Amino acid sequence: MKIGNREYNLFSKTYIMGILNVTPDSFSDGGKWNHMDTALKHAEEMMLHGAAIIDIGGESTRPGYQKISEEEEEERIIPVISAIKQRFDIPVSVDTYKAGVAKQALIAGADMINDIWGLKADPDMARVIARSGAACCLMHNRDNTIYVDFVEDVKRELMESVSIALEAGIPKDKIMLDPGVGFGKTYGQNLKALKHVEDFKELGYPLLIGTSRKSVIGNTLDLPVTEREEGTIATTVLAVKAGVGMVRVHNVEANRRAIRMTRAILNA
């Protein structure tokens, strides 16, 4: 899969997407990186520690998050996208479900759109991505947790997002899927999504998993957000073993080490 100027072998290797939240209220690192100098410094640190792509978010999507306008979201992310693309040679992903924001982000140099609603929140999103030639990550999400057959329902709903993408003209080789741990799922369903990650590979698209410091880890270990690194690494190890192409994490260095160790064992 080509994202920006790089090729990713997402079916044979696990890459790291480093999280850069330029928000005052994100659940894990709200307010830490929402000034240009700290954002750039953190982006550089993640690159040095092994991030293969930087994912920039301008609106917190934690449970009960406060929605903001497109204009405010753009004011937060566009300068950071431009600055990173000017200074560093690394693909940039943008975490947004709004077509207007995505369009401006792509103009500013973003290489990928990471849509937590899988193109279903904004009817213009698929067209914006298709016209740009950018890659996209389509996440599973819904506004309730009532499933008939959990894994099969998630697979079917992910393929609904894929259909929207293909019909809009997004090439198959520009699509990545995310089963959406922490979104539209109960605690038990989140664990089940992780347990059955390999089932989602049957859909034929590379997978991204984003569990970093999320409540499924906090609830399992009964720990605050500041103490969920080992739990995150455990999910990263499972992702590598399942053949997941990308993990979206806050602590790039620790997860890179875990990936290297897991890969060494698997390749022995």
Side-chain angles (χ1 to χ4, degrees), residues 35-45 80 83-84 87-88:
H35 297 287
M36 182 64 77
D37 55 344
T38 55
L40 289 173
K41 186 172 185 293
H42 189 51
E44 186 173 25
E45 285 173 352
V80 178
I84 288 175
R87 288 166 175 77
F88 308 122

Side-chain angles (χ1 to χ4, degrees), residues 94-115:
V94 172
D95 182 357
T96 187
Y97 54 89
K98 301 168 187 169
V101 175
K103 184 176 181 180
Q104 294 306 313
L106 292 163
I107 291 170
D111 305 288
M112 177 172 169
I113 299 299
N114 183 11
D115 185 350

